[in-house]
Amino acid sequence: MIRERFNLLGRTALVTGSTRGIGKAIGDAFEEFGATVIRHNSKVCDLADPAAVEAWLKSLPPLDIVVCNASIQERMKWWEFAMDEARKEAQVNYITTLRIFQSAYPHMKARKWGRLIVVGSVQERRPHPDMIGYAATKGAQENLVRNIARQVAAEGITVNNLCPGVFYTDRNKDVLADPVYGKRVTDAIPVHDYALPEDAAGTALLLASDAGRYITGTTVLVDGGLSLPG
């Protein structure tokens, strides 16, 4: 009975940034539980290009589940952060998330069932000093989730924020390979280990399925205790 509530058979899911890392693991889990998964990467659509996003959205079938996982980040000191980069990160990480949600909403509303999920970041609570744009846009995503969730809850649509901590992915592996920096990072994590992409997949499956129907407007931390006080 419990397993059946995780069944995604007959559901169509879009997962952005889903050909590697966390997005791929989430897409694989959805497929394992029966969903038809639409995979996305920058070659399919450049999320920094509003016109390309609009054309791409028109080509998609009706969506039951959306996971906005794709994001970009640039490391630099806040006083050196270029405005072009700030606008690009805002476009990809926040504005395009809102636009994808808007596009998927009418079908979900008509079916009285839908799942809108963002993949956020522990930087919503512990912003990295060299990633001011990324941290700010992830905070905006978290606010977006809380705002929309209350408005659509009665329509059978849940909206949630899956919030990863330090994951060993292509994006992070080079900096984490430095033994000094890597040790400093793991020492700060209560479980003293990185996460793997698969560690996010179970949480995403819960939020995307009937098993998570009573979870909305919340941030689910998958961070090994990194955001705990102390």
Side-chain angles (χ1 to χ4, degrees):
M1 180 64 179
I2 292 296
R3 180 179 175 83
E4 184 59 30
R5 299 194 69 192
F6 287 90
N7 188 358
L8 298 180
L9 194 64
R11 307 294 188 192
T12 299
L14 168 67
V15 185
T16 64
S18 51
T19 57
R20 63 179 187 171
I22 291 173
K24 182 179 185 303
I26 290 173
D28 290 348
F30 287 179
E31 287 181 341
E32 182 179 341
F33 280 77
T36 298
V37 177
I38 299 170
R39 303 274 182 167
H40 159 270
N41 60 26
S42 59
K43 294 179 181 179
V44 173
C45 177
D46 179 3
L47 301 185
D49 182 343
V53 169
E54 290 301 322
W56 173 61
L57 289 174
K58 289 176 182 176
S59 74
L60 298 178
L63 301 171
D64 304 298
I65 302 163
V66 169
V67 180
C68 286
N69 165 71
S71 64
I72 57 173
Q73 61 178 225
E74 185 68 33
R75 290 172 178 258
M76 63 181 72
K77 300 302 182 183
W78 71 265
W79 59 87
E80 298 173 343
F81 197 66
M83 290 300 98
D84 285 347
E85 181 63 27
R87 283 186 283 270
K88 184 177 180 180
E89 292 193 16
Q91 181 67 45
V92 173
N93 300 354
Y94 173 71
I95 296 172
T96 298
T97 295
L98 172 58
R99 186 66 194 101
I100 294 172
F101 281 8
Q102 289 174 330
S103 178
Y105 173 61
H107 171 71
M108 294 179 180
K109 181 179 180 180
R111 293 195 68 179
K112 288 284 187 181
W113 198 98
R115 301 290 184 263
L116 300 172
I117 302 167
V118 300
V119 175
S121 170
V122 72
Q123 290 195 44
E124 295 158 26
R125 303 188 181 194
R126 294 172 60 110
H128 193 292
D130 293 338
M131 287 189 265
I132 187 170
Y134 180 76
T137 56
K138 289 300 175 178
Q141 280 188 330
E142 189 272 338
N143 190 282
L144 181 73
V145 163
R146 289 188 287 109
N147 194 318
I148 298 175
R150 181 175 288 276
Q151 299 182 60
V152 302
E155 298 167 346
I157 303 169
T158 65
V159 193
N160 288 293
N161 176 28
L162 192 167
C163 187
V166 182
F167 275 62
Y168 192 87
T169 62
D170 290 346
R171 171 180 285 179
N172 298 324
K173 66 181 182 181
D174 289 341
V175 294
L176 294 177
D178 180 279
V180 176
Y181 179 80
K183 185 177 187 304
R184 187 163 74 245
V185 171
T186 52
D187 284 350
I189 303 170
V191 300
H192 295 305
D193 196 7
Y194 312 128
L196 299 176
E198 293 74 19
D199 292 320
T203 302
L205 181 63
L206 169 65
L207 297 176
S209 66
D210 285 332
R213 74 170 191 91
Y214 214 66
I215 304 170
T216 195
T218 194
T219 291
V220 182
L221 290 156
V222 185
D223 69 349
L226 179 59
S227 59
L228 291 170

